[in-house]
Amino acid sequence: MHSVALLTASYAKDIERFSLLSESIDTWLTGYTRHYVLVNDEDVPLFARFASDKRVIVPASRYLPKWLFALPPALQFISKRRVWLSLLSSPVHGWHIQQILKIAGVLNAPEQRVCILDSDNLFFREFDVGQYAGGEKTPLFVTRKGIDAGHPLHVLWLRTVDQLLGVTERAFPADDYVGNALVWDKDTARAMTDAIKSATGLSWALALCRKKKFSEYLLYGNFVASSPNHLAGHRVTEDSIAVSHWDDTRLDRPAIEAMIRAASPEQVALCIQSYSSTSIEDIRDVFRLNSADRRSPSLAPDQIGDTQAFETPKTR
C-alpha cells in the first residue's frame, strides 16, 4: 500500500466551510497520514485552530515561486479578488493560485498519493481513504464524453490543457475529469509538470500563470489519458465517491436530505458548491457533526428507506 495524504487549498472566506470539512474528516476518515491545508500567508493565523498532529497549515508562499507575490489586501482598492503580481506574467487571481497550490502541494508531499479536497466537500460516512487511494493503481475519475463542443468554459479549459501538454488533436465530445475528492499520484504529477515544460519551454508554474484559464483536474486527467505508461498505473472509474451539487441553485434542508437519500452506498462525501449560497448551518444540521453519536445523521433510517445507505462503504 502507498501512503496517502489529504490536501486542501483554502482561504479566509471559506473558513466556515473548511471547518465543516475538517470536522467531517476527523469524524469519518481513516487511512491517511496528514491533511495539508494550504492558505494565503495572512490567513495562517485564522486557520491555526485547525492544526493538529494530523493536520498541517501551510502558508502559500512556501510553495509559490519567488517571482510571484501577493498584493497586500490594503492595496487592493479595485479588485474584490485576491491578486498576485509578477514581472513574468499578468496578475493572477486567487482561484488560479489555489489550482497552482494544489499541484505544488502534491509535488512537495512526502506521501505518494494525495486526495485533493476542496473546502466545500464534506464526508458523511466512514471511509478508509488509504484502502481507496493507496493501492497498486491510482483511482482516476472520469465522466466519459462529458464535455461537448458547446460548453464554453470546459472547452476553453481543454484548449489550454492541449497547449500546455502539446496536444495537437482534440475530438468532441471529450472526457471530463473534473470531480470531487480526486486522487493524484505524485510521480504522475511530476511527469505532468515535466510535460508542460517540454511543450511550452517554461516552468510549469509560469506556463499556468500566463495561460490562467485552465482546470488542474482536466490537466491531470488528460495527461494520464495521453500517456500509456501512466494510464497503466491508474484505475479508471466512472463512479465518484462524492455526490455533488454543481450549479448555483440554493439548496434548503429537504434538498440536502434528498441528495443523501440519492447517494449510492459507495458515495461517502458531499459537495455543495459554495457559490450556491446554501446555508452552512443547514448542512451542519443535516449531518449533525456536533452530535455525540457520530454515526447517526439527522436522517433516521426509516426516513431513508434503506439502512444499508449508512453502512461502511465498499472500497474498490
Side-chain angles (χ1 to χ4, degrees), residues 123-128 132 239-243 259-269 304-316:
F123 289 91
F124 58 89
R125 292 176 181 155
E126 285 186 334
F127 184 52
D128 186 334
Y132 175 73
D239 299 319
S240 174
I241 63 171
V243 56
M259 290 185 69
I260 299 306
R261 284 193 295 270
S264 70
E266 288 79 18
Q267 290 178 309
V268 298
I304 301 169
D306 180 8
T307 56
Q308 184 184 18
F310 287 96
E311 292 178 358
T312 302
K314 298 176 183 177
T315 55
R316 296 186 181 86

Side-chain angles (χ1 to χ4, degrees), residues 1-27:
M1 298 294 291
H2 294 287
S3 57
V4 178
L6 311 178
L7 185 147
T8 302
S10 192
Y11 75 128
K13 289 184 178 180
D14 272 350
I15 195 166
E16 291 306 317
R17 295 183 183 278
F18 176 80
S19 178
L20 276 172
L21 169 63
S22 63
E23 190 175 348
S24 74
I25 289 171
D26 296 343
T27 301

Side-chain angles (χ1 to χ4, degrees), residues 153-225:
L153 190 56
H154 280 67
V155 168
L156 177 59
W157 290 344
L158 273 180
R159 296 302 185 197
T160 300
V161 165
D162 292 346
Q163 293 169 9
L164 291 170
L165 296 178
V167 176
T168 57
E169 296 183 7
R170 168 66 62 184
F172 289 96
D175 290 343
D176 189 355
Y177 297 94
V178 175
N180 293 295
L182 302 182
V183 180
W184 285 13
D185 175 76
K186 180 168 66 174
D187 289 345
T188 304
R190 189 167 301 283
M192 176 187 75
T193 57
D194 289 344
I196 293 172
K197 183 176 182 179
S198 177
T200 66
L202 304 171
S203 69
W204 67 267
L206 180 55
L208 293 180
C209 285
R210 288 188 175 179
K211 290 295 183 184
K212 294 187 178 61
K213 303 295 185 181
F214 68 93
S215 161
E216 75 280 30
Y217 300 137
L218 287 180
L219 186 60
Y220 183 90
N222 278 274
F223 172 74
V224 172

Side-chain angles (χ1 to χ4, degrees), residues 67-68 84-92 206 209-210 212:
W67 45 262
L68 191 63
W84 275 254
L85 301 178
S86 167
L87 296 177
L88 303 178
S89 72
S90 57
V92 183
L206 180 55
C209 285
R210 288 188 175 179
K212 294 187 178 61

